Amino acid sequence: MTPSSSPTAEGVLPGHDDAGGHAGHHDHPSYLVDGTTVKSWLLTIDHKRIGLMFLASVLFFFLVGGVFALAVRVELLTPGPTIMDAMTYNRAFTLHGLIMIFLFMIPAIPAAFGNFMLPLMLGAKDVAFPRLNLASFYIYVTGAVLMVWGMLNGGLDTGWTFYTPYSTHTTTTVAPVLFGAFVIGFSSIATGLNFIVTVHTMRAPGITWFKLPLFVWAIYATSCIQVLATPVIGLLTLLVVGENLFSFGLFDPARGGDPVLFQHLFWFYSHPAVYIMVLPAFGVMSEVVAAFSRKNIFGYRAVAYSSLGIAFVGFFAWGHHMFVSGQSTFDAGVFGVLTMLVGVFTAIKVFNWVGTVYKGAVDFRTPFAYFCGFLFFTVFGGMTGIAVGTVSLDMPWHDTYFVVAHFHFIMVGATLMAFLAAFHYWFPKMFGRMYHEGWGLVSAALIILGFNATFIPQFLLGNYGMPRRYYEYPERFQALNVASTAGASLLAFGFVIVAIYLTYALFYGRVAGKNPWRSKGYEWLSESPPPTHNFVGPQPTFPEEPHYYVAPKKDEVNDV
Amino acid sequence: MSDIANKILFLPERASTFAERVDVLHYFVVGTTMVMSAGVGLAALFFFFRFRRRVPNQTTEYVVPDLKTEFLFVSVPLVFFLVWFAIGFRDFTWVTTPPKDAMDVYVMGKQWMWKFAYPEGPNGVNVLHVPANRPVRLLITSRDVLHSFYVPAFRIKMDALPGRYTQVWFEATKPGTYQVLCTEYCGLSHSKMLAEVVVLAPEDFEEWLKEQQRGRLQGRQDALADTSLVPPVARMAEQGEKLAGTQGCLKCHTVDGAPHVGPTFLGMYDRQEKLADGQTIRVDEAYITQSMMDPGAHLVAGYQNVMPTYQGKLQGPETAAIVEYIKTLRTANVREVSSEGPAYDPIQ
Ligand code: HEM
Ligand SMILES: [Cu+2]
């Protein structure tokens, strides 16, 4: 463990020499204790508190989504009915998907950690529009309540993709759930807009575009997608509600509508949406790998530009979800090639991360363990993405468990690893306390192992021909399903451990000190936990690029 | 060799010409994926050990890749990916473009069954008979929501869309029975929407076809019964008409609009029928079928419960034929059919 008293003033913070700062700083209390009433939290416009409230909400929904995931896995232990009936099962996987995607993965990293870290990394006091930031939290809560209420009263059974014409004919309650998704969209757009303006206008003197931390680049690219794509799904949900309640006929062939039109509109948002989930994860990992190998980012510009590249081509790859939907063979070809480009941009990132470790000084801590898991999930998940992008191979794989495993690897695996890495890496920054490193490593190992054990059998199930969204299945698929369920239990067990030691650390953890990792990420220049206005004294300047661990030459003085 | 690979990868039996094409690319892509992941993983592992931290505040050398390295990072994967794409796209084009001499089969998905119909005659539910070594084109549609027709052993899949036909083709390489699964979520019993393809040796298939046609013409006491000489007329409704005669339906039901012992067949389909218990019911396929199997279940107002059950006397396709026949007897009020509501209300 790094002693907290070691000299950590590695950055440049004029007029501030309290290197061992902690929660109890008298003139500038940390944001955690600056006002302790419920109202001071619920009506706060401090980006850090809002970030924490988002964090608490997404963790809650992760728990709910996780419980339903386990229910689904347990049901699939036997070929026939196991613990529930078909309708319950169909609702359970829909609930799992919707909650995990809309209420956990999309807001998880940007709204929780992005909110907290972005202003710190820019040397700013807050985001550009603090009140809009708070509004975006309440919009999210409103949408979430609507969605959950709808799912409990009537219960949607369409899957998170709510394809028409099934979703416009089902007797279950589609309208409130979709309306909830519509409302949440506004939260997503508001947050994205806020971040874009913040990055453009709030950078401290010295932070040029190419000195932005890579996490900021990633959040910036993500925000662009959010602002551009979310309106499409917003309108689409309204159209489906209209179709469902008033039979508009837009997607209904009996009235001259087109069910495939729905799929185009849906994937036009939902494919970029996978990058909304995974780009912030890439950003977190760029920070973590640099911090724990004490290394400048290998190919900083390549990593930064590839985020924008993914954001851009991500908009043109949606048709790869529709190779066998009746679209023309030509379309399939175009979407296939564009899909390959996404793969190349991801590959650039992967190689540069590995390059970052080269000639570094690796400290194998919990966040770094998650980086290893992340690397594997991204490479394997990305490569299987290329595999399904190879159109002839997608024909047997489409809508089978192979696809389920693929998108869990890349979207869930990568994002989850990043979420956990971010949580562990920034825990001391956010709460000023340390967690137990041993438990951290053990649970990381369990989670990575459990994840592989859950989803590798699903790749094989897909090869074997098991379609997704099956309540019952032919006997020959059982062994692999049992293996997958066993893996899921291991995974769940890992999470329980994390929940326990982090909760413990929150209250009884050792005080962390300002910068326990000796990281040179900009956010560590502030106190841990930071005071309400982030920096004490005059605005900091940032002469060095982030993660600049180069030894100062003898005659060079750290110019304060 | 490829059998071992198939076992390891859990690939099902390979039973079509497309499957053979796909599998080779499959091994290659999956193999490269594993080599790549292992390569990246091992490189990373090596670096973790080689470059571990020795003192807490260790400084490092400032390393940036030169342009050549970055170029390599981009171009090597790009070339691989594009080659896979090119091969994959060639095969995809091949499987979505049926040869001209393919035998056509119509496939209709419906919650929760697959119906098959051959232009030259027989049709069936949940069992598709095809000859081996002959291209078969599937013309796929749906009656209600989306479905997707998937035969793992053939490696083919195609969505079934209401209001549209999609197509895909295959050439089965060996006789046997192969499972069909539905892979597009379609409601409550999605996972029970199973069917099978029975691939017969070409001679057996001809035999089967003849058998089917003979069966359909049962009761027809003329030379046309010898299907080997004269191809029979194919229409289901005509068969239904004959069956209605031979089974005695027409003794009690007229087809000219006049009520008799039972209600007339003319204009019956799609009518709102008033029942003896005061309710009304729409006459659809389900109701007609039920009336044959359990005539008393929903008695039409004004008639006696005298009709015998046909349970066990009529086979599935025969029942369907009679239903189709009754459906043709509605020209009189075709214009009056309301255009409100979708024509394919899903059956709950
Ligand atoms: C980078 C993060 C990625 C995420 C989060 C992600 C997520 C997903 C998701 C959620 C699906 C399933 C959609 C559904 O059917 O419900 C999917 C399918 C697909 N993904 Fe990815 N993906 C990612 C990367 C890639 C990459 C790198 C490629 C290829 C270059 C790729 C190619 C595909 C293809 C072709 C499908 C369609 C497969 C099918 O429906 O049969 N994905 N992906
Ligand atoms: Cu189906």
Side-chain angles (χ1 to χ4, degrees), chain A residues 394-461:
Chain A
D394 186 52
M395 191 173 247
W397 278 332
H398 173 74
D399 267 345
T400 65
Y401 267 85
F402 190 93
V403 169
V404 175
H406 152 68
F407 74 73
H408 277 88
F409 252 65
I410 186 87
M411 181 167 86
V412 183
T415 309
L416 208 59
M417 290 298 114
F419 183 78
L420 289 165
F423 210 160
H424 287 85
Y425 175 47
W426 284 318
F427 191 87
K429 170 98 296 193
M430 298 169 88
F431 304 109
R433 299 201 179 254
M434 290 305 294
Y435 51 85
H436 192 284
E437 185 66 32
W439 283 114
L441 287 173
V442 167
S443 55
L446 273 179
I447 288 174
I448 293 169
L449 214 72
F451 201 92
N452 279 306
T454 310
F455 292 104
I456 287 178
Q458 294 190 13
F459 279 117
L460 300 175
L461 268 177

Side-chain angles (χ1 to χ4, degrees), chain A residues 206-230:
Chain A
I207 304 191
T208 61
W209 280 90
F210 287 109
K211 276 169 66 184
L212 283 176
L214 282 172
F215 181 63
V216 175
W217 269 104
I219 294 284
Y220 183 80
T222 309
S223 300
C224 294
I225 308 179
Q226 276 175 309
V227 170
L228 292 173
T230 315

Side-chain angles (χ1 to χ4, degrees), chain A residues 7 10 86-87 90 93 157-159 163-166 169-171 251-255 258-260 263 291-299 302 323-327 329-330 332-334 336-337 340-341 343-344 347-348 350-352 354-355 357-364 368 371-372 375-376 379-380 383-384 386-387 389-400 460 462-474 476-477 480 517-518 545 548-552, chain B residues 8-12 18 21-23 25-26 29-30 32-34 36-38 40-41 43-45 47-66 69-70 72-75 77-79 81-82 84-93 95-97 111-112 144-146 148 150 152 155-164 166-168 179-194 339-346 348:
Chain A
E10 291 168 330
M87 197 43 147
N90 295 342
F93 74 67
D157 72 330
T158 58
Y163 271 16
T164 57
Y166 187 75
H169 285 87
T170 176
T171 49
F251 308 121
D252 180 348
R255 289 153 185 256
D258 180 0
V260 181
Q263 297 180 26
F292 289 88
S293 24
R294 286 188 77 77
K295 193 81 197 66
N296 67 307
I297 299 282
F298 190 78
F323 287 148
V324 297
S325 69
Q327 75 177 342
T329 308
F330 176 77
V334 173
V337 172
M340 297 304 173
L341 296 185
V344 171
I348 298 177
V350 168
F351 291 136
N352 282 298
V354 178
V357 185
Y358 175 69
K359 292 200 172 171
V362 178
D363 190 13
F364 205 98
F368 202 79
F371 169 73
C372 300
L375 209 58
F376 177 71
V379 175
F380 204 79
M383 291 293 289
T384 52
I386 299 295
T390 306
V391 276
S392 67
L393 297 182
D394 186 52
M395 191 173 247
W397 278 332
H398 173 74
D399 267 345
T400 65
L460 300 175
N463 275 352
Y464 212 3
M466 176 158 165
R468 65 196 286 203
R469 296 171 176 169
Y470 259 34
Y471 166 64
E472 290 172 57
Y473 53 81
R476 62 179 182 282
F477 299 135
L480 288 167
W517 313 123
R518 297 152 190 268
E545 61 184 75
Y548 188 79
Y549 297 95
V550 182
Chain B
I8 296 173
L9 294 173
F10 279 85
L11 285 169
F18 181 62
R21 286 183 171 232
V22 168
D23 280 10
L25 188 59
H26 186 137
V29 169
V30 169
T32 317
T33 301
M34 299 215 222
M36 266 286 294
S37 314
V40 171
L45 267 183
F47 288 167
F48 300 157
F49 286 107
R50 171 71 185 70
F51 302 111
R52 64 188 176 279
R53 192 174 302 185
R54 287 154 214 274
V55 286
N57 248 343
Q58 192 171 343
T59 54
T60 55
E61 202 179 314
Y62 194 82
V63 184
V64 281
D66 54 6
T69 317
E70 290 287 7
L72 215 66
F73 284 176
V74 178
S75 51
L78 188 64
V79 168
F81 297 170
L82 289 182
W84 293 347
F85 167 77
I87 301 171
F89 188 56
R90 186 201 61 191
D91 290 349
F92 185 75
T93 312
V95 77
T96 49
T97 321
Q111 282 169 325
W112 289 280
D144 36 47
V145 298
L146 303 181
S148 193
Y150 175 36
R155 311 284 190 273
I156 58 154
K157 172 181 300 119
M158 190 50 70
D159 281 4
L161 312 168
R164 258 205 218 189
T166 51
Q167 61 174 17
V168 69
Q179 193 158 44
V180 178
L181 305 137
C182 175
T183 53
E184 188 66 78
Y185 179 72
C186 56
L188 190 63
S189 300
H190 168 51
S191 57
K192 287 195 195 147
M193 194 162 153
L194 308 174
S339 64
E340 268 172 24
Y344 51 86
D345 277 326
Q348 295 301 331

